[in-house]
Amino acid sequence: MKMKAKLAIVISIGLLQGCIWPADLSEIKDKFEDDFDSFVKLNSMIKQERWGTNCFHVADDRVGHTRRQGIYWNSDLAFKPKIKNASIKQVLSAANLSIERYNTYLELLDDVDGYFIVHCHGKGVTSVPVHRNVGCVTAVKNNQDGKIPKTREEGRFYFKIAPLKAGWYIEEECYS
């Protein structure tokens, strides 16, 4: 077998293992404890963003309802006003977010190993997904009212809950 083919197989196996590797809840708890202040700061910051009563996202490829596609940013189809082929400066301006604040989000997400942060104002829930695998997403969450939900099933979804501290919890959402 040629070297390129062997390398492709090794990389594919590594990626596959990363996709199906289950979340280690004790590792996530430890990371949460170590980076508690970063989670609290992220939660405080995202609650200050206003985009109506909808959810507001921040990631390296998403701000509000706008996603990066290649070198340009475009808004979700249902969102008005639509943003087409915008620069990051235009997107941040539309979201009333400074580049410094956006960079702070990205630094904090890097600190906590989060993929993105989202706060849904209507529900009062902040979520920081920290692990993904086939059929499951594991997030560190905080409810504004401090209540921690119970492990539950909803249709084909199963939500496993592990309490943390100060109203924070881990939610592992899996599709069956």
Side-chain angles (χ1 to χ4, degrees), residues 60-62 66-68 72-74 84-86 88 91:
D60 66 346
D61 65 347
R62 187 160 183 182
T66 309
R67 292 180 181 259
R68 186 178 63 220
Y72 295 108
W73 292 72
N74 295 291
K84 300 288 267 167
N85 298 327
I88 184 63
V91 170

Side-chain angles (χ1 to χ4, degrees), residues 24-171:
D24 182 340
L25 297 186
S26 65
E27 186 178 301
I28 293 171
K29 285 180 182 180
D30 290 345
K31 181 74 175 155
F32 173 80
E33 289 292 330
D34 291 344
D35 296 317
F36 180 71
D37 291 341
S38 294
F39 278 102
V40 169
K41 187 166 183 177
L42 277 167
N43 189 32
S44 175
M45 287 175 66
I46 198 80
K47 285 179 180 178
Q48 294 170 18
E49 311 304 342
R50 289 289 171 207
W51 205 284
T53 57
N54 294 325
C55 300
F56 190 85
H57 295 78
V58 178
D60 66 346
D61 65 347
R62 187 160 183 182
V63 175
H65 296 277
T66 309
R67 292 180 181 259
R68 186 178 63 220
Q69 297 168 329
I71 63 170
Y72 295 108
W73 292 72
N74 295 291
S75 64
D76 295 342
L77 295 176
F79 182 71
K80 306 273 191 261
K82 291 184 177 159
I83 296 174
K84 300 288 267 167
N85 298 327
S87 70
I88 184 63
K89 285 183 179 181
Q90 291 168 309
V91 170
L92 293 176
S93 177
N96 293 319
L97 202 61
S98 71
I99 189 71
E100 294 81 15
R101 188 170 177 89
Y102 177 65
N103 286 334
T104 300
Y105 274 114
L106 298 183
E107 290 168 11
L108 291 168
L109 285 168
D110 188 53
D111 286 348
V112 302
D113 293 335
Y115 296 107
F116 61 87
I117 184 167
V118 58
H119 179 75
C120 297
H121 293 284
K123 295 179 181 179
V125 178
T126 300
S127 179
V128 181
V130 294
H131 185 82
R132 296 182 276 205
N133 60 12
V134 176
C136 296
V137 174
T138 305
V140 174
K141 291 189 167 191
N142 179 273
N143 283 342
Q144 216 165 298
D145 62 10
K147 294 180 182 175
I148 298 175
K150 305 249 184 265
T151 294
R152 65 198 184 283
E153 287 185 48
E154 293 177 12
R156 297 193 65 177
F157 289 91
Y158 178 78
F159 299 86
K160 181 179 177 183
I161 305 297
L164 294 168
K165 68 177 183 180
W168 290 87
Y169 58 96
I170 298 169
E171 180 180 85

